[in-house]
Amino acid sequence: QMCIRDRWYQRRVREVELVLNSLGDNRSFLLENLVPVQDMLALLRRFFKPSAAECDEFSLAIADGEGGARLTHSHERQYRYVEQSLRLWAEILGNFFELWWLADRDLLSDTHRYELSDTGQGNHRVQPAPLVERRMRQLLAKVQAETDEWVGSSVVHLGDRNVPNALHFIDKYTQVARILAPIVTTLTWLERNYETKLRVEKYVDETFGSIERLLKLILTDFFRYAFDGSGADNFFQAGSCVDGRLTSAWNWCNQIESKPFYPAFVLAGFASFDGFAA
């Protein structure tokens, strides 16, 4: 009896450990992936007002054909567009483990088989992902219900040329933190070290006038051109659709070295969006 009881106890201990480790994994994922989105949303609300721009220099307004933009938005509309995009990313990442589980089921489905097809970016396994798509539409509807007016398209690409299968979907949204975290970390470093390091204060004041102006310049550029519908060969592949918002953000990252504030990123320890350390 003792032997049976001991084995049962050990099994229960292992099960509890597995649950605790799983909770720890989820917390680590949220800290690494969700928190940067929440921090960026806080920066948007801290430095910008939705109703009107402080001045033309810090206006979020964009126009089709200017600076590579494919959308035309007033400051207020662009503010809402960015805010809604970030809120949707937060909702997706907050439910990411469920989406990952659904993606596995879609990929291994006996009902929905894949077809090897040229998507314009090489040959890919194009496969419907009905479980992930259904959950995505629920998350999108939740965010839309919390807004007065949804800005942009509600199209969710899955199982097509843009997002061929559930694995591509998962990979796409694991990039969000790799985009946002280096920017948030850079801004935090600059603001923290401006008051404590003379060389930082001198560079910022001589080049940009003040730390607040530098932070606003970076954020204005990001909120304009990382959410402007650019980044693909045509409007259907980027634009304002749910997935195109992330495509535009990646496009902004690819142009970071051409930005006038790029030296400030380097000063803060930025190396690349794939290998940032500060």
Side-chain angles (χ1 to χ4, degrees):
Q1 290 181 346
M2 288 295 292
C3 185
I4 295 175
R5 187 173 63 185
D6 289 346
R7 285 201 299 269
W8 178 87
Y9 175 76
Q10 291 173 1
R11 185 168 64 250
R12 296 297 293 174
V13 168
R14 288 196 296 270
E15 290 174 353
V16 171
E17 288 178 347
L18 181 61
V19 170
L20 293 176
N21 288 335
S22 296
L23 291 172
D25 288 343
N26 186 59
R27 176 174 171 78
S28 296
F29 177 86
L30 293 177
L31 287 173
E32 184 176 343
N33 292 270
L34 178 58
V35 170
V37 184
Q38 295 173 333
D39 289 343
M40 188 61 77
L41 193 55
L43 287 168
L44 172 68
R45 292 166 175 168
R46 172 187 168 189
F47 286 104
F48 302 92
K49 295 181 179 180
S51 56
E54 175 185 338
C55 59
D56 289 343
E57 184 177 33
F58 303 130
S59 171
L60 302 183
I62 56 175
D64 184 12
E66 295 183 6
R70 282 202 173 107
L71 303 173
T72 298
H73 287 162
S74 65
H75 170 87
E76 181 179 2
R77 192 165 181 82
Q78 181 69 359
Y79 180 99
R80 296 302 182 195
Y81 180 70
V82 173
E83 183 183 46
Q84 291 169 10
S85 300
L86 292 172
R87 288 176 61 185
L88 178 60
W89 291 354
E91 198 67 35
I92 292 170
L93 293 169
N95 294 272
F96 206 67
F97 275 27
E98 180 190 2
L99 289 165
W100 211 320
W101 173 65
L102 294 173
D104 284 343
R105 292 177 61 189
D106 278 331
L107 289 167
L108 299 174
S109 171
D110 291 328
T111 306
H112 304 284
R113 301 298 184 92
Y114 74 83
E115 293 183 1
L116 195 62
S117 178
D118 185 357
T119 64
Q121 302 179 60
N123 290 324
H124 289 280
R125 297 183 177 188
V126 179
Q127 180 186 27
L131 298 177
V132 173
E133 183 175 356
R134 185 182 305 116
R135 186 66 179 121
M136 263 297 295
R137 294 195 182 283
Q138 292 172 351
L139 297 175
L140 175 60
K142 181 178 183 294
V143 176
Q144 289 176 324
E146 296 170 351
T147 62
D148 295 330
E149 177 191 5
W150 181 256
V151 181
S153 169
S154 299
V155 173
V156 177
H157 289 289
L158 259 173
D160 59 15
R161 289 170 57 90
N162 296 329
V163 186
N165 53 59
L167 179 61
H168 277 256
F169 169 87
I170 291 297
D171 180 69
K172 194 176 184 75
Y173 284 97
T174 56
Q175 311 305 314
V176 172
R178 296 171 67 184
I179 295 172
L180 299 184
I183 302 172
V184 170
T185 304
T186 295
L187 296 176
T188 302
W189 188 96
L190 289 169
E191 190 169 24
R192 183 176 65 243
N193 286 277
Y194 176 79
E195 298 292 344
T196 59
K197 295 184 178 180
L198 182 60
R199 65 184 179 91
V200 175
E201 180 183 2
K202 181 179 180 181
Y203 166 73
V204 170
D205 287 348
E206 290 180 355
T207 309
F208 301 99
S210 68
I211 185 62
E212 182 175 353
R213 181 170 180 269
L214 171 58
L215 299 181
K216 286 183 178 179
L217 284 173
I218 295 172
L219 289 169
T220 299
D221 195 89
F222 180 71
F223 292 143
R224 279 178 184 167
Y225 300 115
F227 299 86
D228 64 355
S230 64
D233 294 333
N234 55 64
F235 186 82
F236 179 74
Q237 292 179 331
S240 65
C241 67
V242 170
D243 307 283
R245 300 164 194 240
L246 194 50
T247 303
S248 300
W250 259 128
N251 189 54
W252 185 89
C253 295
N254 290 331
Q255 300 172 0
I256 185 69
E257 293 183 5
S258 66
K259 303 294 183 179
F261 46 74
Y262 178 67
F265 271 71
V266 177
L267 181 65
F270 177 86
S272 74
F273 284 97
D274 289 322
F276 180 80

